[in-house]
């Protein structure tokens, strides 16, 4: 390992990061220290959400905004919805060449400036932005990326650069749930785009981001199950794989719902019926807890449904928040043992008791602070509720991002590509998995477009080459700081290491400084003798 690589790894070790997860560290280095755009993907449970939170925590130099395609995803990512950040009307459809996206449209009253009327505050954010993170990118409809590209080019006054020169970090898995596109909309879009996915957009193709895949799976420890999931994800599953999964159907009976299992289904009506029926079977009085909205927090951004929580003692619930201090995590299943006005006590299957209080979900608005010259996330509203939901059953869509030790999958009627994979990958092991009904070999649907795109992963050599240049530029800045602090030997070491990668003397802004550096270094060496 080179001196510079060692230096950066040591920095990440001090942050207690898993430095053995090379793809995670590579992506983090590029996101933090370069201006290169990234598409970061990975199987379920490989740490995509952890990457986003880590990047935000360690970022100190870049003006950053985070967006996501849905309200729930935006709240979980502590960002804005893509539509609200860019003031895109979700009812409008934009096609390539649309006059509503052009700076000047001859003979047309409409232009991009009449379509998107940004406040001065939002305009400042857009113009000062260094990095835009789009979480759950796989659910972003293809033409929306081209709309964002055009907005950033025009309003940042950099029409020659993809996305107006903003670094894009796109996080998501195209093998999971795809974007929703109505058939009538696809009729209009299909002449221009090969698929409904973001990677078919013109802007993505022009941007040519580095494509990095996280491979280290943290969710599943069962090696056999891991391998089956990997094959199912990319439509490489075998008849034996399906047979192994179908053997779990023999364990199914409805009583499992009273033994800590949660049912994952594809149809919302079925899920609601199961939860309502199981709640009604319990003895005792219902108690309702109303969700509270404060200031600017749109109801459609509520992190879960229903907003008002109706429970009885004995109800099976799922935790919808991580709380390390109290010991519960997002996706943990338990049973209600006590209901009070400001406290709900829940017992998990291991017999541990948790005193659950109301928690706060924040809605943020990105603003530009002229004094600090930073884009900041300002809390503009909040939603307050107990982080619990009835959980005898849940839809596959709502289960994304969650982890279950014991689950029943009702997926024989799956209708969407990636749905079976998402459902299967929620479970930590084959031992905790039960299929309600056996599934057929062909019921595992995988998008052919996603399969084709997965072959475009960036070669390791190209990623390392980009990293070397990135490290050299950071080393040069570090050398400058050491030099100004008078630590000439260390400064020289970083200069030498940086120059091994690239000759920075060709950079005009460094030329004069490097000449002074050489003179001071020589003087320092003579004095040391």
């Amino acid at each position: 390992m080179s001196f510079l690589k060692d230096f950066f790894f040591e920095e990440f070790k001090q942050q207690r990061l898993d430095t053995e997860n090379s793809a995670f560290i590579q992506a983090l280095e590029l996101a933090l220290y370069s201006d290169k755009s990234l598409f970061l993907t990975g199987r379920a449970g490989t740490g995509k959400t952890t990457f986003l939170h880590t990047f935000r925590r360690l970022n100190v130099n870049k003006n950053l905004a985070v967006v996501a395609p849905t309200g729930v995803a935006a709240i979980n990512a502590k960002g804005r919805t893509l539509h609200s950040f860019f003031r895109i009307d979700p009812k409008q459809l934009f096609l390539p060449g649309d006059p509503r996206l052009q700076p000047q449209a001859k003979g047309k009253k409409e232009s991009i400036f009449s379509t998107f009327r940004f406040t001065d505050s939002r305009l400042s954010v857009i113009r000062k932005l260094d990095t835009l993170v789009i979480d759950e990118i796989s659910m972003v409809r293809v033409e929306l990326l081209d709309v964002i590209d055009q907005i950033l080019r025009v309003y940042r006054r950099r029409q020659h650069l993809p996305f107006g020169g903003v670094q894009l970090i796109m996080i998501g898995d195209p093998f999971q749930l795809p974007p929703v596109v109505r058939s009538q909309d696809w009729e209009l879009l299909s002449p221009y785009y090969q698929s409904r996915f973001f990677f078919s957009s013109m802007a993505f193709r022009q941007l040519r981001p580095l494509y990095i895949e996280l491979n280290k799976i943290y969710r599943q420890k069962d090696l056999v199950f891991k391998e089956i999931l990997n094959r199912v994800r990319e439509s490489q599953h075998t008849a034996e794989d399906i047979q192994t999964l179908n053997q779990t159907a023999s364990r199914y009976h409805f009583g499992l719902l009273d033994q800590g299992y949660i049912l994952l289904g594809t149809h919302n009506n079925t899920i609601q019926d199961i939860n309502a029926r199981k709640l009604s079977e319990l003895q005792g009085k219902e108690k309702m807890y109303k969700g509270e909205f404060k200031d600017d927090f749109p109801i459609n951004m509520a992190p879960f449904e229903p907003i008002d929580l109706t429970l009885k003692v004995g109800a099976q619930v799922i935790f919808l928040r991580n709380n390390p201090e109290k010991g519960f995590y997002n996706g943990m299943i338990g049973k209600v043992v006590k209901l009070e006005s400001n406290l709900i006590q829940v017992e998990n299957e291991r017999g541990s008791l948790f005193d659950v209080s109301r928690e706060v979900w924040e809605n943020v608005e990105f603003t530009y602070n002229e004094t600090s010259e930073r884009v900041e996330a300002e809390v503009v509203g909040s939603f307050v509720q107990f982080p619990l939901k009835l959980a005898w059953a849940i839809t596959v869509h709502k289960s994304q991002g969650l982890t279950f030790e014991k689950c029943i999958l009702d997926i024989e009627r799956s209708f969407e590509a990636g749905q079976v994979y998402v459902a299967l990958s929620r479970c930590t092991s084959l031992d905790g998995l039960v299929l309600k009904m056996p599934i057929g070999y062909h019921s595992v649907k995988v998008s052919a477009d996603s399969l084709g795109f997965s072959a475009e992963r960036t070669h390791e050599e190209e990623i390392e080459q980009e990293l070397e240049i990135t490290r050299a530029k950071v080393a040069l800045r570090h050398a400058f700081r050491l030099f100004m602090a008078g630590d000439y030997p260390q400064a020289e070491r970083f200069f030498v290491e940086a120059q091994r990668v690239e000759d920075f003397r060709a950079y005009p802004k460094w030329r004069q400084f490097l000449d002074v550096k050489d003179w001071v270094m020589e003087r320092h060496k003579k004095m040391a003798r």
Side-chain angles (χ1 to χ4, degrees):
M1 197 179 288
S2 70
F3 166 72
L4 290 183
K5 194 170 183 179
D6 276 339
F7 174 75
F8 281 93
F9 265 53
E10 197 55 43
E11 292 274 303
F12 290 133
K13 279 180 183 176
Q14 288 177 15
Q15 295 294 332
R16 297 183 178 180
L17 300 179
D18 181 3
T19 51
E20 292 183 8
N21 188 343
S22 60
F24 187 99
I25 297 299
Q26 286 175 338
L28 194 57
E29 274 192 82
L30 290 164
L32 287 168
Y33 304 124
S34 83
D35 58 2
K36 188 71 178 174
S37 292
L38 304 175
F39 166 59
L40 183 72
T41 190
R43 296 162 174 80
T46 51
K48 296 185 293 295
T49 300
T50 301
F51 174 87
L52 172 56
H53 295 319
T54 305
F55 173 55
R56 293 185 81 152
R57 177 168 57 86
L58 298 183
N59 173 55
V60 293
N61 296 315
K62 295 182 176 181
N63 282 326
L64 170 71
V66 179
V67 297
T70 66
V72 174
I75 292 299
N76 289 338
K78 297 183 180 177
R80 300 288 295 177
T81 64
L82 184 150
H83 289 87
S84 66
F85 184 86
F86 288 103
R87 303 289 192 265
I88 301 171
D89 184 346
K91 297 189 290 294
Q92 289 184 319
L93 183 69
F94 296 93
L95 300 176
D98 193 315
R100 294 172 298 171
L101 294 175
Q102 307 309 314
Q104 294 175 324
K106 276 191 174 182
K108 300 284 184 181
K109 292 181 181 178
E110 295 171 312
S111 74
I112 194 168
F113 301 111
S114 61
T115 308
F116 304 101
R117 298 182 183 276
F118 296 114
T119 63
D120 290 343
S121 175
R122 179 51 47 86
L123 207 51
S124 293
V125 172
I126 286 173
R127 286 178 175 158
K128 299 295 183 180
L129 206 58
D130 296 312
T131 303
L132 178 70
V133 176
I134 306 180
D135 197 23
E136 299 290 0
I137 184 69
S138 61
M139 297 174 73
V140 174
R141 217 166 62 175
V142 58
E143 88 285 0
L144 283 175
L145 217 54
D146 283 338
V147 175
I148 294 169
D149 171 53
Q150 183 67 354
I151 289 172
L152 291 173
R153 285 177 190 252
V154 172
Y155 282 95
R156 287 169 61 85
R157 302 181 184 128
R158 297 176 185 175
Q159 294 192 52
H160 62 294
L161 294 174
F163 296 93
V166 173
Q167 177 192 33
L168 249 65
I169 298 176
M170 296 161 280
I171 304 172
D173 183 5
F175 286 103
Q176 296 190 38
L177 300 175
V180 176
V181 182
R182 297 181 306 172
S183 56
Q184 58 265 42
D185 288 343
W186 183 240
E187 282 181 24
L188 297 170
L189 291 167
S190 57
Y192 301 94
Y193 298 109
Q194 186 177 343
S195 80
R196 54 183 166 165
F197 286 94
F198 68 97
F199 51 74
S200 291
S201 67
M202 299 167 192
F204 185 88
R205 293 294 170 185
Q206 191 171 356
L207 184 67
R208 296 185 68 249
L210 292 174
Y211 179 153
I212 297 179
E213 179 166 2
L214 302 177
N215 291 308
K216 187 171 181 178
I217 297 175
Y218 292 93
R219 181 176 294 154
Q220 286 88 18
K221 307 300 179 190
D222 179 336
L223 184 59
V224 172
F225 191 39
K226 270 188 193 180
E227 291 174 348
I228 291 175
L229 286 177
N230 290 343
R231 290 192 289 271
V232 166
R233 178 177 182 260
E234 299 188 7
S235 197
Q236 294 176 356
H237 56 283
T238 64
E240 288 75 21
D241 291 335
I242 300 300
Q243 185 180 1
T244 300
L245 295 171
N246 284 340
Q247 285 172 358
T248 68
S250 63
R251 302 201 292 262
Y252 173 74
H253 59 88
F254 198 71
L256 289 175
L257 292 178
D258 296 314
Q259 297 174 25
Y261 279 80
I262 182 170
L263 183 141
L264 274 63
T266 52
H267 292 73
N268 199 41
N269 290 341
T270 305
I271 298 306
Q272 289 177 348
D273 288 347
I274 291 172
N275 284 326
R277 180 158 29 104
K278 294 298 291 181
L279 186 66
S280 68
E281 289 173 0
L282 294 174
Q283 301 298 314
K285 202 173 180 181
E286 285 185 354
K287 189 170 180 63
M288 189 178 80
Y289 300 89
K290 292 191 74 66
E292 182 183 0
F293 292 91
K294 295 182 179 179
D295 301 319
D296 180 10
F297 197 110
I299 193 168
N300 64 350
M301 291 185 71
F304 46 81
E305 295 175 343
I307 294 160
D308 298 328
L309 181 63
T310 302
L311 296 174
K312 290 180 181 179
V313 170
Q316 180 162 291
V317 291
I318 181 172
F319 285 85
L320 298 166
R321 206 77 188 270
N322 293 321
N323 191 320
E325 290 180 8
K326 292 190 175 181
F328 58 78
Y329 59 86
N330 193 15
M332 188 169 80
I333 304 292
K335 288 196 184 299
V336 174
V337 295
K338 186 190 291 184
L339 294 171
E340 297 179 356
S341 296
N342 294 308
L343 181 140
I344 298 173
Q345 196 171 66
V346 179
E347 182 180 19
N348 71 4
E349 62 176 2
R350 293 183 176 87
S352 300
L353 290 172
F354 302 89
D355 290 336
V356 186
S357 305
R358 289 178 176 85
E359 298 216 7
V360 180
W361 285 260
E362 295 175 338
N363 183 28
V364 302
E365 180 68 85
F366 291 100
T367 58
Y368 182 69
N369 186 320
E370 296 282 353
T371 305
S372 64
E373 297 184 337
R374 298 288 294 171
V375 170
E376 298 173 346
E378 177 189 346
V379 177
V380 294
S382 60
F383 172 70
V384 183
Q385 180 58 289
F386 288 92
L388 300 170
K389 178 177 178 174
L390 288 178
W392 285 285
I394 191 172
T395 63
V396 174
H397 272 78
K398 295 289 170 62
S399 74
Q400 251 190 309
L402 300 179
T403 302
F404 307 116
E405 292 184 13
K406 298 196 293 188
C407 54
I408 302 164
L409 305 188
D410 184 8
I411 54 174
E412 72 277 5
R413 291 187 296 156
S414 66
F415 55 89
E416 190 68 89
Q419 206 168 38
V420 169
Y421 170 69
V422 170
L424 289 169
S425 61
R426 298 311 97 196
C427 202
T428 57
S429 69
L430 272 171
D431 288 340
L433 175 70
V434 175
L435 293 182
K436 184 179 177 184
M437 295 283 289
I439 58 174
Y441 182 88
H442 296 291
S443 66
V444 180
K445 300 180 181 71
V446 178
S447 164
D449 298 305
S450 297
L451 280 171
F453 176 57
S454 70
E456 298 181 19
R457 278 170 283 209
T458 307
H459 292 298
E460 183 71 21
E461 295 80 10
E462 187 180 342
I463 294 170
E464 276 300 329
Q465 187 177 18
E466 192 68 43
L467 278 167
E468 279 193 1
I469 295 170
T470 296
R471 290 172 189 142
K473 288 178 179 176
V474 176
L476 199 60
R477 291 196 292 271
H478 193 61
F480 179 81
R481 287 192 293 271
L482 289 167
F483 181 77
M484 297 306 291
D487 189 348
Y488 302 126
Q490 271 294 88
E492 183 173 34
R493 186 177 188 190
F494 277 94
F495 273 120
V496 169
E497 292 295 334
Q499 300 270 141
R500 281 179 183 166
V501 177
E502 191 163 339
D503 186 5
F504 288 100
R505 293 175 209 278
Y507 288 50
K509 67 178 182 177
W510 292 107
R511 194 174 295 142
Q512 187 177 6
F513 170 67
L514 290 171
D515 289 342
V516 174
K517 180 268 300 183
D518 291 339
W519 180 80
V520 173
M521 292 292 190
E522 280 301 315
R523 189 174 176 84
H524 175 73
K525 285 177 183 175
K526 286 177 182 176
M527 290 175 66
R529 294 192 197 110

